[in-house]
Amino acid sequence: MLNMQNVSEPTIFNQKTRELLSQLAKDASFTTKKYAAGELELGNSIKLYGLAQCTWDLSTIKCLQCLDDAIGQLPSCCDGKEGGRVVGGSCNIRYEIYPFVSA
């Protein structure tokens, strides 16, 4: 699923998105909650918000693999878009330029 709006600088935005989601994937896979959310400052008062989540039955390694695979699918579904998500049976990731999760 994706946000239909395009970003103005897709190469940089995609890099920052991958950076945030990769960190959240590590954070989620190494916690007992199997969940992590966070944000990254992009400049000009714009923030990127992200989420990574696994089902509780996955080991740390399997969770990280699942999330990494989901992140790897972003170029084919959400390249240069302001938001997107990849939902699988055991994990999911999401990013947007607006807050979508409350702490």
Side-chain angles (χ1 to χ4, degrees), residues 32-103:
T32 55
K33 293 180 181 181
K34 300 293 185 201
Y35 170 87
E39 59 189 57
L40 180 66
E41 186 71 43
L42 297 177
N44 295 329
S45 300
I46 298 172
K47 289 184 180 180
L48 178 65
Y49 299 87
L51 171 143
Q53 183 177 26
C54 290
T55 56
W56 289 9
D57 63 315
L58 292 184
S59 68
T60 297
I61 299 299
K62 292 288 186 187
C63 177
L64 187 56
Q65 287 174 337
C66 185
L67 292 169
D68 283 345
D69 288 346
I71 293 167
Q73 292 179 37
L74 287 175
S76 62
C77 80
C78 313
D79 189 37
K81 301 296 183 186
E82 288 183 354
R85 62 184 108 167
V86 176
V87 178
S90 297
C91 70
N92 69 86
I93 57 166
R94 182 176 178 186
Y95 73 92
E96 300 285 352
I97 59 165
Y98 60 85
F100 60 90
V101 171
S102 57

